[in-house]
Amino acid sequence: MKYYTSDLHFGHKNIIKYEDRPFSSTEEMDEYLIYKWNSKVNKNDEIYILGDFGFVSGARANELLDRLNGRKFLIRGNHDHSFLKDKNFDKTKFEWIKDYACINDNGKVVCMFHYPIAVWDRQHHGSVHLYGHIHSNKDNHHPLVVHLDNA
């Protein structure tokens, strides 16, 4: 099975306030995210993280990734530099780390980037663009946002 997620923000204290997440600490948030992830993702599932995995040290990123099920793929987000540049981070925790990637998901081409973009590979041939970054932004209009019904 393939799964997609974005903007987990493990260890990011301010995301609790900015996004009104219902946690009193990053430790509580991180534990909840791990619990929810592992309740859905199995050992051999593929999970594509569309950026902002965490605002943590390399050692902490290693610990988190070791606790999360699945084969993990990372599309770099603007907060991932905190662990990606850390010499203690083990890049082999991810199958690959890229800025942009297209994959085949059950006959559908899925192109992934951390940010919404106006044009992507095979856009006019039925491909789908998945991204993160914009968070909830409930009051903002984003012209590139299209909501998919459990497609």
Side-chain angles (χ1 to χ4, degrees):
M1 182 70 89
K2 287 184 173 77
Y3 294 101
Y4 305 88
T5 190
S6 183
D7 297 279
L8 297 158
H9 287 267
F10 280 104
H12 191 181
K13 181 180 177 186
N14 286 335
I15 203 70
I16 295 171
K17 176 178 66 174
Y18 295 152
E19 291 299 317
D20 198 26
R21 291 185 179 183
F23 306 106
S24 60
S25 68
T26 57
E27 294 79 15
E28 180 186 1
M29 177 179 70
D30 291 357
E31 288 304 314
Y32 181 78
L33 291 171
I34 292 166
Y35 166 75
K36 292 300 280 186
W37 176 304
N38 287 338
S39 69
K40 186 74 173 176
V41 178
N42 294 313
K43 180 182 171 187
N44 293 315
D45 290 338
E46 295 178 4
I47 185 152
Y48 295 86
I49 304 160
L50 307 181
D52 289 357
F53 171 76
F55 201 49
V56 295
S57 69
R60 178 67 175 147
N62 293 337
E63 292 169 12
L64 291 163
L65 290 163
D66 284 343
R67 293 183 60 197
L68 295 168
N69 291 340
R71 296 175 51 226
K72 296 163 278 293
F73 302 79
L74 179 66
I75 298 293
R76 281 183 202 91
N78 54 301
H79 284 290
D80 295 322
H81 60 83
S82 63
F83 66 88
L84 290 175
K85 291 183 177 181
D86 187 328
K87 63 181 168 87
N88 295 312
F89 176 62
D90 179 1
K91 291 181 178 162
T92 67
K93 302 285 182 191
F94 290 107
E95 300 290 321
W96 50 248
I97 300 169
K98 299 180 180 184
D99 291 319
Y100 175 85
C102 293
I103 62 166
N104 185 308
D105 186 348
N106 216 18
K108 179 66 110 181
V109 174
V110 176
C111 295
M112 302 168 287
F113 193 55
H114 180 60
Y115 307 98
I117 55 177
V119 180
W120 60 90
D121 189 36
R122 293 186 249 169
Q123 174 182 4
H124 302 295
H125 299 283
S127 68
V128 173
H129 167 45
L130 296 182
Y131 56 88
H133 187 67
I134 62 170
H135 299 261
S136 58
N137 285 307
K138 296 175 186 124
D139 298 327
N140 296 333
H141 174 70
H142 293 281
L144 299 178
V145 173
V146 175
H147 297 279
L148 301 175
D149 295 330
N150 294 329

